[in-house]
Amino acid sequence: MNITNNTILITGGGSGIGLEIAKALNTTNKIIIAGRNKEKLDAAAKGLENVFTIQADITNEQDINHLIEEIKVNFGGLNILINNAGHAYAYTISDTSDTYSKAVAEFETNYFAPIRLTEKLLPLLKQQENAAVVNVSSIVAFAPGSHVPTYSDSKAALHSYTKILRHELAKDTSVKVFELMPPLVNTDFSAEIGGRENGIPASEVADSFVNALTNDTYEIHVGYTEVLYNNFFADSEGAFSMMNA
């Protein structure tokens, strides 16, 4: 895939993996980073060329409609959508009485929001010769973590949706569908579950992503995710093909 001269939207682009992807691609593309906190977005974009900010809560439909309108008016279209924003609670199911509310909040951000944003932006993406949707899931989409139980559920759901979206869009569109599947990463997002001590750098995830995008590697297994996949899930593509023959 061509990774230059694109207009790229990154949700949750004000920090962590999203910001590192913006840094990796900003010199040869227009990057839009979106998030809830305007001050955080502006601080992230400061000093970076070709990086623009739009304040938006991706779980709010009115904000999403405003975001899309800004992209149409101020950027003239979109080539790549990166659904990166995430939400997680670290807890164990046996020790809480509010699993349901935590699950709802996580699914709103991690699953339903990417589906709605993708659906609304597909008409713009389909107008481009070079276009892609990128969903950032996780190693826990393959094997759930008991410390992040319903977060794992939401990422497994996103993984399933991504495979189906890729399968369908490949039939009659030029829109490519990628899934970035990092392991534990050293970000503010994962600090509560040991990311500071045990996570890989977010820049390493971004580098793996850019390489995969260049080479049309649609399911991107970063770091330990690759080890887990090779040992236990190497034939998942065959299983998917059989289910959807």
Side-chain angles (χ1 to χ4, degrees), residues 69-129:
E69 191 61 27
E70 279 209 45
I71 291 171
K72 289 178 180 177
V73 173
N74 297 327
F75 297 92
L78 188 72
N79 295 84
I80 301 175
L81 164 63
I82 303 178
N83 287 308
N84 168 72
H87 182 55
Y89 291 104
Y91 72 102
T92 56
I93 289 176
S94 61
D95 293 332
T96 185
S97 59
D98 61 347
T99 298
Y100 174 79
S101 62
K102 286 180 167 63
V104 168
E106 289 166 331
F107 268 80
E108 279 290 333
T109 300
N110 303 338
Y111 182 63
F112 295 120
I115 288 176
R116 178 161 60 188
L117 187 56
T118 300
E119 182 178 64
K120 286 178 176 287
L121 284 172
L122 269 177
L124 286 181
L125 294 170
K126 287 178 178 179
Q127 294 172 12
Q128 308 294 331
E129 291 183 8

Side-chain angles (χ1 to χ4, degrees), residues 203-232:
S203 59
E204 182 177 331
V205 179
D207 289 343
S208 295
F209 168 68
V210 172
N211 180 65
L213 200 65
T214 304
N215 293 289
D216 285 340
T217 303
Y218 296 116
E219 195 166 284
I220 308 161
H221 309 142
V222 183
Y224 190 68
T225 306
E226 180 72 13
V227 176
L228 182 75
Y229 179 83
N230 287 339
N231 283 331
F232 299 104

Side-chain angles (χ1 to χ4, degrees), residues 7-220:
T7 301
I8 303 172
L9 170 64
I10 307 174
T11 66
S15 61
I17 295 171
L19 180 56
E20 291 302 323
I21 291 174
K23 290 178 180 178
L25 294 171
N26 73 296
T27 57
T28 56
N29 299 278
K30 290 180 182 179
I31 310 291
I32 307 161
I33 56 174
R36 297 178 182 180
N37 188 311
K38 186 178 187 303
E39 290 72 23
K40 184 177 180 181
L41 291 172
D42 290 342
K46 189 175 182 180
L48 296 176
E49 60 179 311
N50 303 320
V51 175
F52 307 89
T53 67
I54 300 178
Q55 184 180 13
D57 177 354
I58 62 165
T59 66
N60 183 295
E61 187 168 15
Q62 185 174 347
D63 279 15
I64 291 300
N65 291 338
H66 172 72
L67 171 66
I68 293 169
E69 191 61 27
E70 279 209 45
I71 291 171
K72 289 178 180 177
V73 173
N74 297 327
F75 297 92
L78 188 72
N79 295 84
I80 301 175
L81 164 63
I82 303 178
N83 287 308
N84 168 72
H87 182 55
Y89 291 104
Y91 72 102
T92 56
I93 289 176
S94 61
D95 293 332
T96 185
S97 59
D98 61 347
T99 298
Y100 174 79
S101 62
K102 286 180 167 63
V104 168
E106 289 166 331
F107 268 80
E108 279 290 333
T109 300
N110 303 338
Y111 182 63
F112 295 120
I115 288 176
R116 178 161 60 188
L117 187 56
T118 300
E119 182 178 64
K120 286 178 176 287
L121 284 172
L122 269 177
L124 286 181
L125 294 170
K126 287 178 178 179
Q127 294 172 12
Q128 308 294 331
E129 291 183 8
N130 189 60
V133 175
V134 181
N135 290 330
V136 180
S137 65
S138 168
I139 189 172
V140 298
F142 284 145
S146 60
H147 56 300
V148 283
T150 44
Y151 172 78
S152 299
D153 297 343
S154 68
K155 291 300 186 179
L158 184 64
H159 173 60
S160 177
Y161 166 74
T162 305
K163 292 179 79 71
I164 294 168
L165 184 68
R166 182 184 304 124
H167 176 72
E168 291 299 315
L169 291 181
K171 293 177 180 178
D172 57 5
T173 81
S174 60
V175 182
K176 299 177 179 180
V177 180
F178 296 82
E179 182 177 5
L180 178 58
M181 307 183 77
L184 188 64
V185 182
N186 180 3
T187 63
D188 292 340
F189 181 82
S190 65
E192 188 179 0
I193 56 172
R196 293 293 187 214
E197 300 80 15
N198 303 307
I200 66 172
S203 59
E204 182 177 331
V205 179
D207 289 343
S208 295
F209 168 68
V210 172
N211 180 65
L213 200 65
T214 304
N215 293 289
D216 285 340
T217 303
Y218 296 116
E219 195 166 284
I220 308 161

